């Protein structure tokens, strides 16, 4: 994985000192909260309901074991013994003291990590495929491109006070595991007819209160123009994105209001101009970065069969392991969704264990997924049972990847000052319900996503089943959505009808699941059945 | 008589140029484009800096207003003017704060007239904070990729 050189390290160290100085001025009163706010946000520090929350960047979701250990140490030293992995492949801590924040950033810098631009109206952490460099179906490893964009977007002087936050995602396979088309810019590395690599740009997607699937504005940007084209997309947005209404300030609204053609025309015009400015790093820089993403030394002649005599282990393999490009290996997902648990939470002990396992079984690498789980990308099939046994002992062996209890949930009203309703207890109740009634096994792939407010941090629009918490006259109320998808068949869920109480929504999810079980045809997932039979049978079951 | 447009030269707290300060009437982008022989113009956040491009040779001062520091359009305006070869004074005015001033300079501003005077030591520290930069802009700084590859 990527290693900082002296330049990268100096930038991160300077940032620590800058934030230490800003915090000092805030604490001594010389910097007003109004002016400090955007600065702390650009360092990932939010003021939540009970305390500060610190969000640490995990660029394209990749961590080594030293970094995972350091994240655990921070949870122990400065928080309450937990970290929370997020849908942006980051980690956040919910109980941080302002005066500790500079020291935490200094601890992070020691392991080549930071919290730069994990919040604020700037370019955020760049996300990617959590199976990058491992998946059998990828064209190339997308992370070098994400890294080149990470450097370009860090401390960008023109684009640090955008109309609104800006999220970029880079993938390199036709299977989308990163919700690429629901980003401000989604990039897919593709090959053209001449066999050259390039970048397809999808611009103006997003969730939030106005979910939009990004249209493709350029099918092939040559790799030596990647930064330049991104710069053009951003400049048009910075100049013309709406600033009169924060709910209409994301780039998706600009692209939607201008129309894809007009936005694209403006970008192409700016691009032609930017090409003259020499803003693009040379291809040698891309090659330099790529050397850090070489395949590890995969062994050859390994067995591609695991001993499946233990049925629990066999189940975990079938559900939580993904096909690897190297024979004899798989990518194994560690579920952070035990029944009744808080989705995405890991304890200090669990983080240390995952770090050790990454080192021992996966070439010192692990990944955070946008679905709030952890991946060990390169595990020998012959050592899976050993790994699984250790995970089981630590409560990390839940075999539920992409199933109804593998729930994405935002922190909700338990922590977040923007939330209208709690998300975590609803997730807990649903996973407990489906564990108790035994239906989770029958349902197969069913992605359920919960947001505690319209900002959609829990990706409810993109859930096969989505739940949106709202405030109805002072009472938490939950709307049900069906038919969303964040994968390559991207679609947006539709609201079924009137909302439900906290207990009512759990019943409603079960009713929707029952409709699927009653109507499904061979091999259909919940989503397929919904797309075939439409909303009516579900409405009938829910409200009839 | 209407209040004169633009900040007074006395309000300029930091200036990184050796030439004399321009001290004549400043006009809006609209009136400048329509007729004016003025050599000083003030850009508001909604103005299109590119409208000035045909007239760069007769401009000596462009003032870019930041009514609120969080409105980042002025950064693009400044960079566009510099990219087009404008060499006159580019002055940031309004809510210009110590924590944004280094970015402003990277986008081509070479004079600053903050609404509230800034602590000079803080500003000096802000300019000196980051040893290198990741991007090529218009401040002449060699980006890190250039340092890596020559």
């Amino acid at each position: 994985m990527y290693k900082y050189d002296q330049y990268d390290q100096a930038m991160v160290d300077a940032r620590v000192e800058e934030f230490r100085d800003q915090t000092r001025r805030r604490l001594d009163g010389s910097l007003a909260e109004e002016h400090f706010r955007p600065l702390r946000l650009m360092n990932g520090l939010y003021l939540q309901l009970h305390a500060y929350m610190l969000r640490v960047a995990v660029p394209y979701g990749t961590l080594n074991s030293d970094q995972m250990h350091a994240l655990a140490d921070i949870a122990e030293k400065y928080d309450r013994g937990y970290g929370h992995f997020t849908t942006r492949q980051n980690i956040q801590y919910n109980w941080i003291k302002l005066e500790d924040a500079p020291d935490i950033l200094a601890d992070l810098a020691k392991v080549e990590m930071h919290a730069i631009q994990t919040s604020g109206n700037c370019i955020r952490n760049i996300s990617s495929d959590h199976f990058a460099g491992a998946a059998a179906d990828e064209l190339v490893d997308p992370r070098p491109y994400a890294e080149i964009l990470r450097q370009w977007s860090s401390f960008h002087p023109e684009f640090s006070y955008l109309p609104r936050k800006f999220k970029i995602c880079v993938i390199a396979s036709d299977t989308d595991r990163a919700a690429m088309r629901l980003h401000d810019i989604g990039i897919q590395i593709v090959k053209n007819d001449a066999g050259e690599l390039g970048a397809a740009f999808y611009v103006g997607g997003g969730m939030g209160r106005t979910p939009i699937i990004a249209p493709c504005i350029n099918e092939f940007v040559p790799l030596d123009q990647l930064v330049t084209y991104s710069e053009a997309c951003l400049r048009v947005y910075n100049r013309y994105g709406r600033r009169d209404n924060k709910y209409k300030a994301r780039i998706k609204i600009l692209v939607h209001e201008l129309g894809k053609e007009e936005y694209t025309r403006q970008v192409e015009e700016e691009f032609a101009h930017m090409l003259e400015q020499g803003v693009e790093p040379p291809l040698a820089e891309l090659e330099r970065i790529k050397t850090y993403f070489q395949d590890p030394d995969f062994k050859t002649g390994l067995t591609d069969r695991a001993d499946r005599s233990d049925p629990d282990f066999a189940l975990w393999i079938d559900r939580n392991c993904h096909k690897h490009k190297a024979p004899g290996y798989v990518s194994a997902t560690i579920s952070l969704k035990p029944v009744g648990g808080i989705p995405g939470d890991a304890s200090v002990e669990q983080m240390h264990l995952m770090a050790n396992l990454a080192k021992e079984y996966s070439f010192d690498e692990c990944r955070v997924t946008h679905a709030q789980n952890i991946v060990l990308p390169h595990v020998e099939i012959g050592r899976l049972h050993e790994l699984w046994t250790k995970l089981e002992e630590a409560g990390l062996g839940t075999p539920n990847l992409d199933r109804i209890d593998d729930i994405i949930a935002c922190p909700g009203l338990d922590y977040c000052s923007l939330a209208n309703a709690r998300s975590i207890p609803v997730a807990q109740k649903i996973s407990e319900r489906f564990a108790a009634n035994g239906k989770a096994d029958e349902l197969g792939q069913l992605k359920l996503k919960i947001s505690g407010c319209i900002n959609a941090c829990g990706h409810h629009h993109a859930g096969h089943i989505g739940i949106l918490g709202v405030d109805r006259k002072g009472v938490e109320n939950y709307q049900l959505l069906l038919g969303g998808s964040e994968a390559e068949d991207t679609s947006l869920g539709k609201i079924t009808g009137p909302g439900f109480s906290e207990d009512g929504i759990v019943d409603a999810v079960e009713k929707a699941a029952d409709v699927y079980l009653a109507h499904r045809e061979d091999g259909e997932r919940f989503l397929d059945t919904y797309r075939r039979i439409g909303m009516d049978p579900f409405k009938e079951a829910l409200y009839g | 008589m209407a209040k004169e447009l633009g900040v007074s030269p006395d309000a300029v707290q930091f200036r990184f140029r050796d030439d004399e300060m321009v001290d004549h009437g400043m006009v809006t982008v609209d009136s400048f484009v329509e007729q004016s022989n003025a050599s000083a113009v003030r850009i508001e956040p909604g103005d299109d800096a590119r409208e000035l491009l045909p007239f760069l040779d007769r401009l000596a001062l462009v003032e870019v207003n930041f009514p609120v520091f969080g409105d980042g359009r002025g950064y693009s305006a400044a960079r566009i003017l510099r990219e087009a070869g404008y060499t006159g004074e580019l002055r940031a005015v309004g809510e210009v704060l110590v924590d944004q001033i280094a970015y402003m300079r990277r986008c081509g501003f070479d004079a600053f007239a903050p609404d509230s005077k800034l602590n000079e030591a803080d500003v000096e520290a802000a300019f000196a904070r980051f040893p290198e930069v990741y991007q090529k802009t218009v401040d002449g700084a060699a980006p890190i990729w250039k340092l890596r590859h020559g």
Side-chain angles (χ1 to χ4, degrees):
Chain A
M1 57 184 279
Y2 188 67
K3 290 286 295 170
Y4 284 4
D5 65 2
Q6 77 268 27
Y7 298 113
D8 298 311
Q9 190 64 50
M11 293 300 277
V12 170
D13 290 343
R15 175 60 141 204
V16 173
E17 288 320 306
E18 180 184 51
F19 192 60
R20 198 179 287 288
D21 177 58
Q22 289 165 346
T23 305
R24 174 189 60 73
R25 283 186 281 132
R26 176 68 198 115
L27 290 169
D28 75 17
S30 61
L31 186 58
E33 173 58 20
E34 172 202 357
H35 294 143
F36 180 59
R37 190 173 166 276
L39 306 175
R40 65 170 163 76
L41 287 177
M42 272 190 253
N43 284 278
L45 199 63
Y46 280 77
L47 191 53
Q48 292 199 325
L49 288 175
H50 314 290
Y52 281 100
M53 177 272 276
L54 179 70
R55 183 183 293 149
V56 175
V58 182
Y60 31 89
T62 299
L63 290 167
N64 63 27
S65 60
D66 285 346
Q67 292 173 326
M68 187 63 115
H69 281 305
L71 295 178
D73 289 340
I74 288 168
E76 181 161 29
K77 194 168 164 192
Y78 303 103
D79 200 277
R80 296 186 176 178
Y82 283 88
H84 179 76
F85 291 97
T86 78
T87 56
R88 225 153 165 79
Q89 300 177 288
N90 292 324
I91 183 170
Q92 42 193 63
Y93 300 100
N94 284 314
W95 302 95
I96 295 300
K97 291 193 192 72
L98 175 59
E99 50 272 36
D100 287 338
D103 290 336
I104 300 174
L105 297 185
D107 287 357
L108 289 169
K110 286 180 198 143
V111 290
E112 304 182 5
M113 293 188 77
H114 59 75
I116 295 162
Q117 292 166 209
T118 53
S119 178
N121 294 333
C122 51
I123 303 171
R124 301 290 190 88
N125 184 45
I126 292 169
S127 60
S128 187
D129 187 339
H130 48 255
F131 293 142
D137 59 14
E138 79 181 5
L139 185 60
V140 288
D141 190 332
R143 293 174 299 168
Y145 310 98
E147 174 60 25
I148 217 159
L149 292 172
R150 180 193 76 82
Q151 295 186 25
W152 160 74
S153 61
S154 294
F155 315 109
H156 198 296
E158 186 178 339
F159 305 133
S160 289
Y161 295 91
L162 296 168
R164 203 70 180 82
K165 60 187 168 184
F166 203 92
K167 299 179 181 179
I168 300 177
C169 173
V170 187
I171 66 171
S173 64
D174 288 335
T175 305
D176 182 1
R177 289 173 283 261
M180 183 272 285
R181 292 188 68 187
L182 295 168
H183 280 76
D184 297 286
I185 293 181
I187 292 172
Q188 183 179 347
I189 304 299
V190 294
K191 203 173 250 185
N192 67 9
D193 293 341
E196 299 155 333
L197 289 175
F201 270 67
Y202 294 80
V203 181
M207 294 193 241
R209 65 185 63 208
T210 315
I212 294 180
I213 298 169
C216 183
I217 71 158
N218 192 321
E219 287 175 5
F220 192 86
V221 176
L223 289 182
D224 59 356
Q225 298 175 350
L226 188 62
V227 163
T228 311
Y229 202 81
S230 303
E231 189 117 7
C233 291
L234 262 297
R235 177 174 283 179
V236 172
Y237 171 55
N238 190 45
R239 299 185 78 208
Y240 298 112
R242 285 180 62 171
R243 291 174 189 263
D244 58 324
N245 178 344
K246 73 181 260 197
Y247 301 119
K248 295 184 189 292
R250 294 288 290 269
I251 194 174
K252 62 193 172 187
I253 303 294
L254 176 69
V255 176
H256 182 72
E257 286 183 352
L258 286 177
K260 175 191 134 176
E261 287 69 27
E262 174 58 17
Y263 173 75
T264 308
R265 189 193 65 74
Q266 293 188 20
V267 168
E268 293 292 335
E269 202 173 286
E270 195 67 64
F271 178 52
H273 163 73
M274 294 305 308
L275 281 173
E276 309 290 308
Q277 304 304 317
V279 300
E280 189 79 27
L283 278 174
E285 174 62 1
L286 190 57
E287 292 307 316
R288 184 191 74 88
I289 292 171
K290 274 188 193 165
T291 61
Y292 294 103
F293 293 95
Q294 300 286 331
D295 283 347
D297 280 329
F298 293 126
K299 292 184 201 161
T300 53
L302 293 175
T303 177
D304 57 0
R305 292 222 179 132
D307 176 358
R308 298 173 59 93
S309 52
D310 179 337
D312 289 342
F313 172 56
L315 194 65
W316 180 79
I317 295 185
D318 293 341
R319 292 188 182 160
N320 284 36
C321 292
H322 188 267
K323 194 170 160 47
H324 200 284
K325 64 182 183 185
Y329 288 86
V330 289
S331 299
T333 300
I334 302 172
S335 170
L336 297 181
K337 320 288 178 67
V339 172
I342 296 175
D345 267 22
S347 69
V348 168
E349 297 73 28
Q350 289 175 330
M351 282 191 264
H352 281 308
L353 177 71
M354 292 190 287
N356 289 334
L357 296 177
K359 182 145 198 169
E360 196 177 341
Y361 294 96
S362 186
F363 295 95
D364 200 23
E365 217 183 296
C366 58
R367 312 283 175 77
V368 184
T369 80
H370 88 273
Q372 304 179 281
N373 292 312
I374 302 295
V375 164
L376 300 182
H378 319 293
V379 183
E380 285 176 36
I381 291 170
R383 299 180 73 198
L384 274 177
H385 189 269
E386 207 179 301
L387 169 68
W388 172 77
T389 306
K390 292 177 183 176
L391 289 172
E392 274 285 277
E393 283 167 11
L396 290 170
T398 314
N400 63 349
L401 186 64
D402 292 339
R403 299 160 65 80
I404 193 163
D405 47 341
D406 180 13
I407 297 169
I408 289 181
C410 72
L413 196 53
D414 289 300
Y415 295 100
C416 178
S417 53
L418 301 173
N420 297 121
R422 289 166 304 150
S423 306
I424 293 168
V426 173
Q428 291 169 316
K429 284 183 181 176
I430 290 171
S431 78
E432 283 163 355
R433 168 77 61 94
F434 282 86
N437 67 19
K439 287 178 189 168
D441 285 346
E442 252 184 287
L443 289 168
Q445 191 195 92
L446 203 172
K447 298 184 185 180
L448 194 148
K449 304 176 200 273
I450 307 174
S451 303
C453 81
I454 200 163
N455 292 314
C457 298
H459 295 187
H460 65 275
H461 299 295
H464 298 177
I465 295 180
I467 295 174
L468 167 63
V470 296
D471 175 296
R472 222 179 84 198
K473 297 174 189 154
V475 180
E476 290 163 273
N477 188 268
Y478 295 90
Q479 295 179 345
L480 185 67
L481 295 87
L482 301 176
S485 172
E486 90 288 29
E488 59 282 2
D489 58 351
T490 316
S491 59
L492 302 170
K494 288 200 171 62
I495 295 175
T496 56
F500 302 89
S501 67
E502 186 180 334
D503 289 326
I505 190 68
V506 182
D507 294 336
V509 168
E510 187 169 359
K511 283 180 188 163
D514 287 342
V515 172
Y516 157 66
L517 291 175
H519 285 82
R520 73 170 160 191
E521 293 179 353
D522 284 351
E524 274 186 343
R525 304 168 299 164
F526 177 93
L527 183 62
D528 304 320
T529 302
Y530 168 82
R531 285 175 175 168
R532 178 173 55 80
I533 68 177
M535 182 66 97
D536 287 345
F538 292 93
K539 272 194 166 166
E540 178 63 26
L542 291 165
Y543 305 107
Chain B
M1 186 179 149
K3 187 175 166 292
E4 211 170 300
L5 193 67
V7 302
S8 117
D10 300 339
V12 176
Q13 192 186 357
F14 304 96
R15 192 164 184 273
F16 301 89
R17 313 178 53 89
D18 298 328
D19 57 351
E20 284 232 348
M21 252 200 262
V22 176
D23 191 12
H24 26 102
M26 180 163 295
V27 298
T28 64
V29 172
D30 280 352
S31 49
F32 182 87
V33 170
E34 272 163 28
Q35 51 74 32
S36 170
N37 294 319
S39 60
V41 64
R42 176 177 167 106
I43 294 181
E44 297 294 342
D47 291 336
D48 181 1
R50 288 210 161 97
E51 290 186 18
L52 300 176
L53 299 191
F55 316 105
L56 290 186
D57 51 352
R58 63 175 161 91
L59 269 173
L61 171 62
V62 178
E63 182 176 289
V64 178
N65 187 25
F66 289 83
V68 288
F69 75 94
D71 187 332
R73 284 176 283 188
Y75 295 92
S76 289
R79 213 175 140 199
I80 282 168
L81 290 172
R82 290 298 189 213
E83 283 167 356
Y86 173 65
T87 54
E89 181 171 336
L90 195 46
R91 185 185 290 173
V93 309
E95 197 170 30
V96 175
L97 304 171
V98 65
D99 294 293
Q100 286 81 38
I101 202 165
Y103 283 175
M104 289 179 173
R105 205 162 160 204
R106 291 216 61 215
C107 288
F109 287 104
D110 55 9
F112 303 89
D115 282 346
S116 312
K117 283 256 189 285
L118 304 178
N119 178 311
E120 302 208 355
D122 286 346
V123 170
E124 205 174 310
F127 283 137
R129 180 88 60 200
F130 287 92
E132 311 293 350
V133 296
Y134 277 121
Q135 314 79 6
K136 179 171 186 289
T137 60
V138 288
D139 60 346
I144 287 171
W145 48 259
K146 180 85 180 156
L147 303 176
R148 281 174 179 147
H149 300 282

